[in-house]
Amino acid sequence: MGRELQKQPQQEMASAVEQLLAVNPYNPDILPDLENYVNEQVSSETYSLDANLCLLRLYQFEPERMSTQIVARILVKALMAMPAPDFSLCLFLIPERVQMEDQFKTLIILSHYLETGKFRQFWDEAAKNRHIVEAVPGFEQAIRAYAVHVLSLTYQKVSRSVLAEAIQIEGLSLDKFLEHQVTNSGWILEKGHGKCQLIVIPPNEFNHPELKKKSSDSIPLDHITRIFPILG
């Protein structure tokens, strides 16, 4: 059945996997289909946390059938889903002995840097391990989107140099990125030149607490744990 699924268009394959999960998610016979679906998620730049968690659970019952390459791809896709807690959910299902392998140690380090807003260290570590992250298309774009998300929760204004470090873009590429953000996200560029130029980020209830609708509303814990190290 795995080969049949692999030949189907992505949408049909997703539907077929969803049906498999609904009928018998603990049937080890569907393991090859779920592995094929991980590869399909990579090639088509789609994502299914439910299917990936199901595969990791099946690996717990069939450890001799575990593919470390597939597990690594699942974790990279989970990193790309931040700020969702998908990476931790997946890691919980991976045996400690597997986590001790170098590629998984690297991914855990990358996750820590992202969670604590240490973007310069993240990009440095990612550059040393391109063979892991570049195997999954769209990785850099997803991380940049997450970095912008964190900056927008943290700052009212951010310098060009801080933004450049967070998203690892400089020069003309950064100019194009800023043009896009100004047009589509309401960013404002203050007068100035070079690295000291300031970018005004649209107000939200996190970078402008006075906009919070109700005093009873609290900032989710995951926001606090990610933002606080940046402010410190």
Side-chain angles (χ1 to χ4, degrees):
M1 185 174 182
R3 291 182 179 178
E4 293 176 3
L5 278 177
Q6 203 167 23
K7 293 178 182 179
Q8 294 176 347
Q10 192 279 328
Q11 190 172 3
E12 292 181 18
M13 187 175 187
S15 178
V17 168
E18 186 176 339
Q19 186 174 3
L20 287 176
L21 297 179
V23 173
N24 193 351
Y26 296 103
N27 182 358
D29 291 342
I30 71 172
L31 197 150
D33 299 317
L34 295 179
E35 289 180 331
N36 287 337
Y37 190 42
V38 171
N39 290 327
E40 175 62 27
Q41 291 173 56
V42 170
S43 61
S44 62
E45 298 190 38
T46 55
Y47 182 56
S48 173
L49 175 64
D50 290 341
N52 295 346
L53 289 176
C54 182
L55 176 55
L56 293 176
R57 282 192 292 268
L58 286 175
Y59 279 152
Q60 288 184 317
F61 300 126
E62 306 275 341
E64 72 283 354
R65 299 175 66 180
M66 176 181 288
S67 164
T68 54
Q69 181 188 56
I70 292 292
V71 173
R73 290 184 171 190
I74 287 175
L75 287 178
V76 173
K77 294 292 284 188
L79 277 182
M80 293 166 63
M82 291 187 74
D86 298 13
F87 187 88
S88 296
L89 294 175
C90 293
L91 196 64
F92 182 75
L93 297 174
I94 299 172
E96 187 174 350
R97 62 175 177 77
V98 177
Q99 295 183 30
M100 295 305 293
E101 295 184 19
D102 287 343
Q103 63 178 336
F104 298 115
K105 285 183 178 179
T106 294
L107 290 171
I108 292 170
I109 291 172
L110 290 176
S111 171
H112 172 73
Y113 286 149
L114 289 178
E115 289 178 351
T116 54
K118 297 178 180 178
F119 294 112
R120 179 177 58 79
Q121 292 93 326
F122 168 85
W123 291 112
D124 288 346
E125 187 69 22
K128 299 174 188 174
N129 297 277
R130 292 189 180 279
H131 63 288
I132 299 175
V133 297
E134 288 187 349
V136 181
F139 178 77
E140 290 186 348
Q141 295 92 321
I143 300 304
R144 285 174 180 139
Y146 169 69
V148 168
H149 167 76
V150 171
L151 292 178
S152 70
L153 297 180
T154 310
Y155 297 106
Q156 298 178 8
K157 294 182 181 181
V158 62
S159 70
R160 183 185 176 100
S161 60
V162 168
L163 175 65
E165 180 177 275
I167 64 176
Q168 197 71 358
I169 300 179
E170 295 182 350
L172 291 176
S173 296
L174 182 55
D175 290 337
K176 290 182 180 179
F177 175 84
L178 287 171
E179 287 177 11
H180 181 271
Q181 293 297 111
V182 168
T183 302
N184 297 282
S185 301
W187 288 18
I188 299 173
L189 304 183
E190 290 194 345
K191 292 182 179 179
H193 299 284
K195 296 181 179 180
C196 294
Q197 183 183 35
L198 291 177
I199 299 105
V200 180
I201 298 176
N204 58 70
E205 63 177 315
F206 298 110
N207 65 8
H208 284 69
E210 67 274 12
L211 295 179
K212 194 174 281 288
K213 295 179 181 179
K214 298 179 181 179
S215 59
S216 60
D217 293 340
S218 59
I219 299 176
L221 180 60
D222 62 331
H223 286 316
I224 296 174
T225 57
R226 293 189 178 99
I227 297 171
F228 184 75
I230 302 175
L231 298 176

